[in-house]
Amino acid sequence: MNRVSTFAAIVLAALALTGRLGSTLGAEQLRVLPAGKLPNDKRLEPLKNLNGYFPFKPYSTPAQWEARAERLRRQLLVALGLWPMPSKTPHNAVVHGLVDRGQYTVEKVYLESFPGHFVTGNLYRPKGRTGRLPGVLCPHGHWRDGRFYEATPQEIEKEIAAGAEKHRVGGRYPLQARCVQLARMGCVVFHYDMVGYADSVQLPHRPGVREAMNTPENWGYFSPQAELRLQHMMGLQTYNSIRVLDWFSQLPDVDPQRIGVTGASGGGTQTFILCAIDPRPAVAFPAVMVSTAMQGGCTCENCCYLRIGTGNVEIAALFSPRPLGMTAADDWTKEMPTKGFPELQQHYKMLGAEGNIMLAALLQFKHNYNYPSRAAMYQWFNTHLKLGAATPVVEEDFEPLSRAEMSVWDDRHPRPKGGEDYERSLLRWITEDSEKQLQQLTPKDTASLAEFRSIVGGAIEVLIGRSVPQPEQVELASVGESQLGRWRAKTLLVRNLSAGEELPAIRINPVKSNGRVIVWIDKIGKQGIFDEQGNPREPVGRILDSGASVVAVDLFGQGEFTADGKPMMRNRLNASDKEIKTHYAGYTYGYNYPLFSQRVHDILTLIAAVQKSGTKPEDIYVVGLGGVGHWIAAACAVAGPSIGGAAIDTDGFRFATLTAIDDADFLPGSVKYGDLPAMLALAAPTPVWLAGEKEVPALVQAAYKSCGRPDALRLYVGPPEETERSAVDWLLR
């Protein structure tokens, strides 16, 4: 079979899929690439996952880093569901149950991060000190029982024999050991629970995917509806840390300018994430977590968008130039001395703070926060919190707390209710709060429109991940030319050089050009501009006869991207031997853009390529009808003045109706930020012809009115069968 007949077969299959199939394919339409050859596109490679390689390339100047840091910090906040920050409510902290250990005291604490949601822990205070003291937050990792962790006698003896622990008490209670020693050094210390550990009893740590919680209303975590609003365990845990810091920094005996944070493993993740997004901590020490290798295996360490284009080393660099100490062990951090840490050293040197970065490479030990690791942390905090302790700091033995002495719940302070009904109520509060915030951002004038663009537009930029590429980032390669009736057709390869992406495209030029270019996007790709005989369809012919060129493309997962020419209908997901990893969205979209975003990337790349061919932005129009209008709306939201207008048929699409995380149009966070109407609103003042809506959404109307261009928006409410003709009439106006 030659490549012409192969392409014909593909077109037939694709047209059959969309109901555009006729009896024969008359004219010969060439593929851009030879039959059986896929585009040279990085996105066809296996998905990236948490076990990939995540290098950090330092920037040359502080100004370059400052611009990158602003963008990356926004990415983190959006990914964590904290852009904008939820409405902060009273923490209502309760401190009780004082235990006096002579040199220090320990109290029980619970406080509310969200109304009715409790963060629990123990507050250590040194005795005999006055004034405001340095403070240290201690999130723990995935130790057995968390804050209540107690090693077995066999584990202790093994650790002592290996030199990992010095004292049997410290080895038996290593999490308590660091809190006690820091208190003895003069710090106020708060040791608090991860979600679902120790006294955090309202939600399990990894509730996982549950069919009963995947409902259009009153959903739970790990459901599509939760992910569409960026509601997940990592966001909850990070917000808990922020609220802990709110309360802790206001204690009368804590100096808010001298607060350190340290944790290991999952607690290390909590440490560097909190310190990356919050300016208040002064010193950080994430142990055995920061590396270019495995990025964190738990659902509490992963969420959508978090590590796309970045990794833990660069995220940790967001703390710069403040003092950042770390440890490495014989685990995924073992290569840090040669991969990751040298780059951090170069980065800190570029900022003039080379003395503020340190790595204790204790590669003789497995994953830990053992005595030598704690000793490195004590010295780091002693120096940078200006504790004035004698050096070297030697951890002393102590009398451990019993579980009863640590637990915050008792008869006078009963455990709060939890379970799935509570989980639904928590997410309902978070959802309603977010919706109120969005409502308050509805544009009313130019100033409020600017704020809407900054917050909602800033979030949509993260969800999509790109704007229109710069000219030097794209390449337009001509593959061939042929006569197509009275018009001339060119087959092209459109390349995004910086992203390693390649798109097969066709450009049909009119007999006499007026300089305008119509970018026609179809749900089956570039085949969609042809009729069943292989000629340009009637509306495309009208455009060509008007003097405008038409460009069509195979977006990622369409046409020549697939072996059979049929468009991909599902997102690929990262699989794992653990069922939860197969279904948790963060394991896939935390490292890879959704198919929806990738297709919008291609539209933006094509716009840049058309511009590079010599067309002025105001002469470029984008068309998305027949089920692809939401792609065009998203492209318009980030394209700004790069196009002259768009014809969009939404077909009533809303992201909120999606029920599966592998749906081809699934876009985490899209509902949180106003769904499709918000994207349409961000297009203002771009001229838009709009179909598929019974009326113009209020948010869209407000945006166009606020920028003084209500006339730039035209709503079509005529018969569906006349939609395409009306859109072309608007284009030819």
Side-chain angles (χ1 to χ4, degrees), residues 402-533:
S402 67
R403 182 180 290 247
E405 289 173 315
M406 286 190 287
S407 180
V408 306
W409 309 122
D410 56 29
D411 291 341
R412 294 183 59 191
H413 308 88
R415 291 165 51 127
K417 291 183 179 180
E420 292 187 347
D421 286 343
Y422 164 74
E423 181 181 339
R424 292 187 183 96
S425 70
L426 173 62
L427 291 188
R428 191 180 310 122
W429 190 95
I430 295 172
T431 299
E432 291 174 355
D433 178 64
S434 179
E435 289 174 348
K436 289 176 185 176
Q437 290 184 329
L438 184 66
Q439 182 65 33
Q440 291 168 357
L441 290 170
T442 300
K444 302 175 183 63
D445 49 32
T446 54
S448 56
L449 179 61
E451 185 181 16
F452 176 78
R453 290 190 186 283
S454 175
I455 297 177
V456 178
I460 297 297
E461 286 176 6
V462 172
L463 308 193
I464 302 303
R466 290 194 201 159
S467 56
V468 176
Q470 295 300 309
E472 64 272 14
Q473 295 177 297
V474 297
E475 179 180 86
L476 197 61
S478 179
V479 177
E481 290 191 41
S482 61
Q483 196 66 32
L484 189 63
R486 57 187 179 277
W487 307 298
R488 194 75 178 164
K490 288 185 176 182
T491 50
L492 308 164
L493 284 172
V494 179
R495 300 188 178 104
N496 186 318
L497 302 175
S498 58
E501 298 163 359
E502 185 176 77
L503 311 174
I506 291 177
R507 175 168 177 155
I508 307 176
N509 291 321
V511 176
K512 185 177 180 180
S513 174
N514 61 13
R516 299 181 78 206
V517 176
I518 307 301
V519 174
W520 192 287
I521 303 299
D522 194 277
K523 62 184 175 183
I524 61 170
K526 63 184 184 300
Q527 303 100 304
I529 68 171
F530 299 106
D531 63 19
E532 52 266 35
Q533 281 75 43

Side-chain angles (χ1 to χ4, degrees), residues 143-391:
W143 269 266
R144 187 174 61 242
D145 291 335
R147 184 166 46 91
F148 297 157
Y149 175 74
E150 178 180 350
T152 65
Q154 294 81 5
E155 290 170 333
I156 299 165
E157 295 307 318
K158 184 178 178 180
E159 293 287 280
I160 289 177
E165 291 293 347
K166 183 177 181 180
H167 305 292
R168 282 178 171 76
V169 172
R172 187 176 182 183
Y173 303 99
L175 302 187
Q176 289 189 51
R178 68 172 138 132
C179 300
V180 170
Q181 183 60 37
L182 286 166
R184 284 170 166 167
M185 293 167 68
C187 298
V188 179
V189 182
F190 186 55
H191 189 200
Y192 61 100
D193 294 325
M194 299 171 75
V195 173
Y197 275 74
D199 283 322
S200 179
V201 295
Q202 294 172 285
L203 298 172
H205 190 64
R206 304 178 189 179
V209 178
R210 296 148 294 166
E211 186 176 350
M213 303 297 271
N214 179 11
T215 52
E217 305 289 339
N218 296 321
W219 55 85
Y221 283 110
F222 294 86
S223 66
Q225 289 299 325
E227 295 299 331
L228 287 166
R229 294 162 176 83
L230 297 175
Q231 298 167 348
H232 41 68
M233 285 293 157
M234 187 173 190
L236 175 61
Q237 204 153 263
T238 303
Y239 190 63
N240 285 351
S241 291
I242 291 170
R243 296 311 316 276
V244 162
L245 184 52
D246 290 343
W247 162 75
F248 188 70
S249 62
Q250 294 171 3
L251 290 176
D253 53 348
V254 170
D255 181 352
Q257 304 302 315
R258 288 194 295 161
I259 293 178
V261 187
T262 183
S265 191
T269 300
Q270 292 179 74
T271 297
F272 70 74
I273 290 292
L274 173 65
C275 291
I277 64 175
D278 197 303
R280 291 174 291 180
V283 188
F285 199 98
V288 290
M289 195 63 239
V290 177
S291 81
T292 60
M294 198 278 294
Q295 299 291 285
C298 184
T299 55
C300 80
E301 298 174 275
N302 287 272
C303 61
C304 298
Y305 306 112
L306 187 73
R307 296 184 180 92
I308 297 179
T310 189
N312 287 350
V313 176
E314 187 180 30
I315 295 171
L318 285 172
F319 191 62
S320 63
R322 292 168 288 172
L324 174 65
M326 299 163 288
T327 60
D330 184 14
D331 55 16
W332 54 86
T333 63
K334 63 185 178 183
E335 292 186 319
M336 266 296 281
T338 57
K339 295 180 181 179
F341 184 62
E343 289 78 11
L344 283 172
Q345 286 180 303
Q346 181 182 339
H347 173 73
Y348 268 76
K349 185 176 181 180
M350 180 269 294
L351 295 175
E354 53 264 50
N356 282 357
I357 184 72
M358 184 273 287
L359 173 71
L362 303 170
L363 307 186
Q364 68 270 37
F365 301 116
K366 295 295 183 180
H367 194 58
N368 71 88
Y369 206 170
N370 59 22
Y371 184 93
S373 300
R374 298 194 299 272
M377 178 268 291
Y378 299 144
Q379 186 58 51
W380 191 249
F381 280 180
N382 189 37
T383 299
H384 293 286
L385 289 178
K386 299 178 173 58
L387 304 181
T391 58

Side-chain angles (χ1 to χ4, degrees), residues 567-578:
M568 289 172 55
M569 302 303 291
R570 294 287 172 188
N571 272 280
R572 296 179 295 165
L573 297 179
N574 272 326
S576 170
D577 56 348
K578 294 184 179 180

